[in-house]
Amino acid sequence: MTSTRVAPTAEEGIKGASDFLRGDLSRELEHDGAKVSGDSEHLLKFHGVYAQDNRDVRRERSLAGETLDYIFMIRVAIPGGRLSTEQWLALDEVAGDIADGTIRLTTRQAVQFHGVVKKGLRPLAASLDAYLMTSFGACGDVVRNTVICPDLIMNGADARLRALASQIAKAFKPNTMAHWEIFVNGELAAVREEKPEHEFYGDTYLPRKFKIAIAHPGENCVDIYAQDLGLIPATHDELGKGFTVVVGGGLGRSYADADTFARLADPLTFATYDEVQDVIRAVLKTYRELGDRTNRRRARMKYVVADEGFAAFRDEVAQRYGKALRDPVSVELSEADDHLGWRTLDDGSWQVGIRVGAGRVRDVAEGQRLRSALRAIAQRFDVTFLITAQQDILISAIGPGDREAVEAVLAAHHVRSIEELGLVERSALACPALPTCGQALAEAERRLPNIVEQVQGELDGAGLGKRRLQLRMTGCPNGCARPAVAEVGIVGRTKTSYDLYLGGGLRGDRLATLYSEKLKLEEIPEVLRPLLERWKLEGLADESFGDFFNRVNVP
Ligand code: SRM
Ligand code: SF4
């Protein structure tokens, strides 16, 4: 009789044999070669490190029989995207001394460094550690960087809410000391007593990554329904303040596996502040036990929810929670706030939100010198930096008398104000894609300015220049810039073609539908043109493009 049981993936074996994420990493970091072995590549991800090669020179080097240009990407987990000026200056120094001169803000409020060589990994980890930051757990099969609406941190009336992202990050960080032993202070860390690993991780951790976000009660700037688990502040008639917990979201798909899909999270329960971590633990245990460890393409929790059915999944969570789950309190989120521009906070201080194209903080010769501007502000003013889930940066807690001085620094570095931005540019997102991402099928970040300009041109041409249009672009269907919930989602299909998704929107509560396949990038404005014309003629007053597209059911 043949067994139908499928073996766990190689990655599961690597995790299990790694002695809690150590493996051979110490030795590998010490040897001279520019790269690490495949097993170590997998373990490195848990430490926030991705092995990459510069794909711009891959072909010519291969043809010439030369070794590839091996580089590493390091992702720093920043709960809620909140940074002190000292931390920002430390990141700025790393960018200049160890990485490629840029700081890449991510769609999950974290920071990435690109182009780091192997011998830079330990100094980089030590610099982060000195300023209470780490890349540990920013990648890998664990709870990833916790995202929160910036308004809840700086302007939140409720102190418990303000602290929640950091508390969750702490509570769900793996206990192993491997990172500090291998990357930061070697023997010193090894002699420290190591706590047993969390029960919901064990020695093989989760089947795949797990993403948590906390939304503002009024608007959806964090794309809460795209998360494995989302917390939406809500008030229960009897129990008072707490959260509607939503679960089972995720946006990645794979062309190689037709049974992969984007899915929005569903409401699971209402939890009070005191209960919320136990509910998360129960969800994690359910995922740990029921998630697919035989196929990494279908290992995310959304597939457990979809395969089991939501009601059965909910029962499984309740069993592990140890008591019945309450009904969720119904919530309604409005369109995402981009947090850009100047506003005053409740305590009378100022905040300015600055658009960072595709999250890339850099100095452009003869142009905007954003990296220098932020450095100068961090050196002169006692402010707080906040990274948004739209890859932008907020300078917050600016003293009531400092607005003009901060404005002057920004202007001196040619940092564009929101009044100078086109409305497509204002909300457009793109993932890094080429040349660093190993999974990229097509360009994204490097082509974003061009496609934004063309689509803005179409809007202007149709007399719709004052209307918002949300455009997101990725180099493959993994969906790192969340095109699956955008009004216009452009997704890399082959080196020179893209699939076009339409009809998501700024509330983030609707999946976009596949409208056209394998388009050249330059064809996209033409394909959009008649749709924008129809939106102008047939759209209701103030109806967004995404809402219009769904209402009239454009063929
Ligand atoms: Fe992502 C893998 C970049 C947010 C879905 N993502 C990658 C890797 C690490 C490529 C790789 O595996 O080799 C990319 C690094 C490229 C590079 O050169 O820097 C990468 N993802 C990013 C970032 C930097 C995009 C950005 O423009 O900001 C975001 C970093 C987030 C962070 O700070 O933690 C990023 N990735 C997302 C999101 C959006 C979100 O989380 O809100 C998604 C869709 C939501 C989801 O998870 O479903 C996303 N990334 C993926 C996937 C598909 C996972 C899946 O199971 O469906 C992959 C592929 C994988 O994990 O193997 C991936
Ligand atoms: Fe890479 Fe694809 Fe993510 Fe873009 S969407 S960063 S190409 S994995």
Side-chain angles (χ1 to χ4, degrees):
M1 207 174 78
T2 48
S3 163
T4 52
R5 215 181 129 84
V6 186
T9 58
E11 285 87 348
E12 290 299 320
I14 297 169
K15 287 189 276 182
S18 72
D19 183 21
F20 298 96
L21 309 178
R22 291 173 175 84
D24 207 13
L25 288 180
S26 274
R27 201 188 55 80
E28 292 247 30
L29 289 187
E30 263 140 40
H31 79 63
D32 285 341
K35 61 189 285 238
V36 298
S37 72
D39 285 12
S40 292
E41 274 190 17
H42 184 62
L43 289 179
L44 269 181
K45 293 183 187 175
F46 286 82
H47 298 271
V49 179
Y50 272 83
Q52 302 184 320
D53 69 279
N54 177 355
R55 294 182 60 184
D56 280 348
V57 298
R58 188 189 274 182
R59 194 177 136 78
E60 85 194 43
R61 288 215 177 182
S62 294
L63 288 175
E66 293 169 4
T67 55
L68 301 185
D69 181 12
Y70 294 112
I71 45 175
F72 293 86
M73 178 272 277
I74 291 84
R75 185 181 291 160
V76 188
I78 301 169
R82 180 190 182 139
L83 291 162
S84 66
T85 49
E86 291 78 16
Q87 287 173 320
W88 182 264
L89 290 172
L91 295 176
D92 180 76
E93 204 170 299
V94 165
D97 294 352
I98 307 181
D100 66 357
T102 72
I103 303 172
R104 177 57 159 76
L105 313 181
T106 78
T107 51
R108 296 196 67 76
Q109 300 180 321
V111 153
Q112 287 189 178
F113 293 111
H114 288 107
V116 175
V117 294
K118 202 172 83 180
K119 63 175 186 326
L121 293 176
R122 279 182 167 146
L124 198 159
S127 301
L128 296 177
D129 189 61
Y131 290 90
L132 304 177
M133 293 182 282
T134 183
S135 63
F136 183 53
C139 313
D141 302 340
V142 292
V143 171
R144 296 288 185 88
N145 198 42
T146 306
V147 175
I148 186 168
C149 168
D151 224 31
L152 298 183
I153 300 189
M154 296 312 291
N155 233 359
D158 191 328
R160 291 176 300 176
L161 204 44
R162 244 177 284 164
L164 195 59
S166 306
Q167 281 168 359
I168 289 177
K170 206 164 157 207
F172 297 97
K173 185 73 92 187
N175 278 336
T176 175
M177 294 298 291
H179 184 76
W180 285 268
E181 261 172 62
I182 297 163
F183 287 89
V184 184
N185 40 14
E187 296 298 305
L188 258 175
V191 297
R192 272 198 244 161
E193 203 184 332
E194 181 160 310
K195 283 199 258 167
E197 193 47 277
H198 294 293
E199 204 190 327
F200 48 81
Y201 285 147
D203 61 358
T204 49
Y205 295 83
L206 298 174
R208 241 358 194 113
K209 58 183 110 175
F210 190 91
K211 298 181 171 179
I212 301 180
I214 306 158
H216 190 278
E219 55 88 13
N220 192 11
C221 70
V222 297
D223 270 329
I224 199 78
Y225 302 109
Q227 313 289 324
D228 291 283
L229 187 145
L231 302 176
I232 307 173
T235 305
H236 191 278
D237 284 345
E238 285 142 36
L239 301 162
K241 284 187 179 173
F243 302 91
T244 285
V245 183
V246 298
V247 292
L251 302 184
R253 289 176 297 109
S254 163
Y255 292 129
D257 189 339
D259 200 13
T260 55
F261 44 83
R263 186 181 190 285
L264 297 181
D266 293 304
L268 177 81
T269 185
F270 174 85
T272 63
Y273 275 92
D274 292 340
E275 293 164 342
V276 83
Q277 288 199 14
D278 284 340
V279 172
I280 299 175
R281 257 178 228 110
V283 172
L284 285 174
K285 274 191 214 159
T286 310
Y287 175 43
R288 176 178 163 76
E289 286 163 32
L290 303 184
D292 187 347
R293 291 184 187 256
T294 67
N295 174 6
R296 285 184 69 79
R297 288 207 184 98
R298 282 195 104 255
R300 292 292 293 278
M301 194 180 76
K302 64 181 172 181
Y303 298 114
V304 182
V305 179
D307 294 348
E308 296 270 320
F310 191 75
F313 177 80
R314 193 166 183 271
D315 289 346
E316 295 282 356
V317 175
Q319 267 179 39
R320 288 160 181 88
Y321 184 50
K323 51 189 171 185
L325 293 169
R326 267 180 228 112
D327 285 343
V329 169
S330 103
V331 281
E332 206 169 316
L333 300 178
S334 62
E335 295 189 345
D337 177 358
D338 63 15
H339 303 283
L340 296 182
W342 284 93
R343 55 183 80 176
T344 38
L345 302 181
D346 290 346
D347 63 1
S349 66
W350 286 101
Q351 173 175 290
V352 61
I354 295 168
R355 176 91 264 248
V356 185
R360 190 69 68 173
V361 176
R362 57 149 62 101
D363 283 349
V364 178
E366 314 286 318
Q368 172 166 292
R369 287 182 296 118
L370 181 58
R371 193 180 141 209
S372 294
L374 294 173
R375 188 190 315 122
I377 288 168
Q379 283 163 343
R380 268 183 62 191
F381 303 94
D382 181 18
V383 295
T384 299
F385 292 101
L386 294 159
I387 300 163
T388 74
Q390 271 73 42
Q391 306 174 320
D392 295 324
I393 193 155
L394 314 185
I395 307 168
S396 202
I398 300 171
D402 287 338
R403 174 173 170 164
E404 272 179 29
V406 170
E407 269 178 324
V409 176
L410 293 172
H413 292 84
H414 308 291
V415 175
R416 295 166 68 216
S417 68
I418 50 164
E419 290 75 25
E420 294 169 81
L421 300 174
L423 287 181
V424 181
E425 180 184 11
R426 184 163 167 164
S427 67
L429 304 182
C431 72
L434 295 167
T436 53
C437 178
Q439 308 223 21
L441 302 170
E443 295 276 356
E445 182 181 326
R446 295 196 290 198
R447 295 286 177 277
L448 186 72
N450 199 250
I451 186 77
V452 160
E453 194 184 322
Q454 288 174 351
V455 173
Q456 185 68 53
E458 293 298 333
L459 278 174
D460 293 344
L464 291 163
K466 298 262 180 304
R467 303 295 296 272
R468 286 200 296 188
L469 187 68
Q470 179 199 40
L471 181 151
R472 296 176 174 180
M473 181 178 189
T474 58
C476 86
N478 283 326
C480 298
R482 300 187 289 266
V485 287
E487 291 189 294
V488 177
I490 301 174
V491 177
R493 176 78 179 253
T494 66
K495 203 172 170 201
T496 53
S497 75
Y498 293 82
D499 289 347
L500 180 65
Y501 287 80
L502 299 176
L506 284 123
R507 290 187 303 277
D509 58 356
R510 188 172 57 210
L511 289 175
T513 46
L514 179 59
Y515 183 73
S516 193
E517 291 179 81
K518 292 195 181 166
L519 293 169
K520 304 254 171 283
L521 203 51
E522 53 277 17
E523 291 169 336
I524 288 174
E526 285 164 44
V527 172
L528 287 175
R529 193 174 305 146
L531 303 177
L532 298 177
E533 294 283 356
R534 275 194 70 181
W535 178 33
K536 183 183 173 190
L537 294 174
E538 299 168 38
L540 306 174
D542 291 333
E543 187 176 39
S544 69
F545 176 72
D547 287 353
F548 166 73
F549 182 86
N550 283 279
R551 181 175 60 79
V552 302
N553 204 3
V554 177

